[in-house]
Amino acid sequence: MTNMKFFSAIAALTLLTTPAQANTGMKPPNLLMEKLYYAEGRQHPDHPLHGSFSGLCCGIDR
């Protein structure tokens, strides 16, 4: 019984410390998409597709 309380406390602390994401329909980019984003230079504000992940990987548009 003590182990259950311990694991319940850890689960509760994890939920409290994990930031919640707003449900806006957008998923966070996966590692491949993020690498392609930086490889194309889209992190620069003057890039025409800055902030957009669309067209980086075939078949995946965000």
Side-chain angles (χ1 to χ4, degrees):
M1 187 70 168
T2 305
N3 286 338
M4 288 292 282
K5 287 183 180 180
F6 176 73
F7 289 122
S8 295
I10 289 178
L13 287 173
T14 303
L15 289 173
L16 288 174
T17 58
T18 304
Q21 292 183 351
N23 189 7
T24 60
M26 290 182 58
K27 296 180 189 175
N30 64 27
L31 187 57
L32 174 63
M33 296 292 283
E34 190 171 347
K35 285 185 174 190
L36 291 171
Y37 180 86
Y38 280 92
E40 285 204 356
R42 293 187 186 195
Q43 74 274 17
H44 300 295
D46 59 337
H47 192 282
L49 295 174
H50 174 71
S52 171
F53 287 88
S54 65
L56 287 175
C57 190
C58 54
I60 300 175
D61 277 340
R62 293 184 179 217

